[in-house]
Amino acid sequence: RARALCAWRVVPARAGPPVWLRARLRQRAMGGAAAPRSRPNVLVTGTPGVGKSTTAAALAEQAALEYLNVGQMAKEEGLHDGWDEEYECHVLDEDRLLDEMEERLVDGGVVVDYHSCELFPERWFDLVIVLTAETNVLHERLTSRNYSAKKLAANMECEIFRVLLEEARESYREDIVQALPSNTVEEMEANVATIGKWVEEWKPAR
Ligand code: ADP
C-alpha cells in the first residue's frame, strides 16, 4: 500500500514480524498497561505538508506541552540506518528511535509530530490527530518544497487514499483518533484551540 514519503521513511529493513506486530510485542514486553502520567500525550500525524509541524508547534505553545518532531530528532541524533535510493530518503533506525522516545514520553505532556503512526506503542498516546488537506491545497504546498515528481505523486496518493487516517484507525482505539481539516489558517487556529481545550480538561484514568 502507499506510504507517506518524506525526508524520513521507516523501512521494515530486517526479516521478522511486521512493524505493527513488533510495536505490539514491544508494548507487551514493557508491561502493556497505560503508564500513569499527569498530562496527556498527543500525536499529530498526516501526510507530509498537511500542517503537522505548524499545528503541533502552536499547540505545544498554547497548551504548554513539549514539542517533539520525530523526523528532526532522528536527524539530529543520527537515528538512521542508511539511505534508501529508491525513495530518496534516510531509513530510520526504529529501535533506537523508539527507545529514545519512550524516555521523553513517559511522564506525558508531549505533542509528537510524525508522518506515520503504526510504529509507536498504542499506550503512548491519549489523542491521535490526523490532519487532512484538500488535494489542490496539498499539491501547492508540496510543489513549493521542490519534491521530485515521484515523491510528490506518492504523497498526493497517500492523502487522496487517506492512508494515514486508515493507519491511525488500525493502530489506535477508534475513540481517540480524530481527523481534522487543515486547509486554512482559520482551520489551523480552530484545531489548536479545540485540542488545547481538550488537553486542559484531560484527566488521568483512575
Ligand atoms: P507538515 O509538518 O505536515 O509537513 P507543515 O506544518 O510544515 O506541514 O506545513 C506545510 C506548509 O503549509 C507550511 O508552509 C505551512 O506554513 C503551511 N500550512 C500548514 N498548515 C496550514 C494551514 N492550516 N493553513 C495554511 N497554511 C498552512
Side-chain angles (χ1 to χ4, degrees):
R1 91 185 163 171
R3 228 192 194 299
L5 303 175
C6 194
W8 295 87
R9 192 171 78 101
V10 183
V11 175
R14 63 220 113 160
V19 171
W20 65 268
L21 181 56
R22 275 190 282 133
R24 296 292 179 278
L25 293 172
R26 167 186 278 269
Q27 187 161 336
R28 199 164 299 163
M30 289 173 141
R37 45 183 173 251
S38 55
R39 303 205 71 205
N41 287 324
V42 179
L43 174 63
V44 178
T45 189
T47 309
V50 287
K52 296 182 297 296
S53 305
T54 316
T55 304
L59 173 66
E61 171 121 17
Q62 163 152 339
L65 298 170
E66 188 197 334
Y67 171 50
L68 176 54
N69 181 321
V70 174
Q72 201 175 322
M73 172 179 156
K75 200 178 286 183
E76 283 169 7
E77 301 188 18
L79 304 173
H80 56 84
D81 190 14
W83 179 258
D84 186 309
E85 292 288 345
E86 187 184 354
Y87 290 104
E88 307 157 33
C89 64
H90 283 99
V91 180
L92 273 188
D93 185 334
E94 203 185 293
D95 287 338
R96 279 173 64 214
L97 175 84
L98 293 178
D99 285 344
E100 297 252 339
M101 284 183 70
E102 176 82 40
E103 284 179 30
R104 304 261 305 254
L105 289 165
V106 69
D107 295 330
V110 183
V111 51
V112 171
D113 160 359
Y114 196 51
H115 62 269
S116 179
C117 62
E118 66 187 357
L119 71 163
F120 305 129
E122 194 177 351
R123 67 188 158 76
W124 277 1
F125 299 105
D126 303 288
L127 181 66
V128 176
I129 298 293
V130 183
L131 295 180
T132 64
E134 282 160 22
T135 313
N136 57 334
V137 172
L138 187 66
H139 192 272
E140 199 168 305
R141 288 185 197 162
L142 292 181
T143 305
S144 67
R145 279 187 179 175
N146 295 323
Y147 278 4
S148 68
K150 181 176 160 184
K151 201 158 169 172
L152 179 77
N155 280 298
M156 291 308 301
E157 194 176 301
C158 180
E159 184 64 9
I160 290 163
F161 291 106
R162 297 173 166 253
V163 171
L164 262 302
L165 185 57
E166 198 161 307
E167 185 179 318
R169 285 183 174 149
E170 279 171 11
S171 307
Y172 299 88
R173 269 192 3 244
E174 206 174 315
D175 58 316
I176 73 160
V177 176
Q178 201 175 341
L180 294 173
S182 184
N183 301 290
T184 63
V185 172
E186 289 72 25
E187 283 179 343
M188 189 199 73
E189 286 172 351
N191 293 340
V192 170
T194 308
I195 309 165
K197 189 161 180 288
W198 180 91
V199 169
E200 209 175 285
E201 291 171 356
W202 184 85
K203 301 258 187 315
R206 277 187 275 163

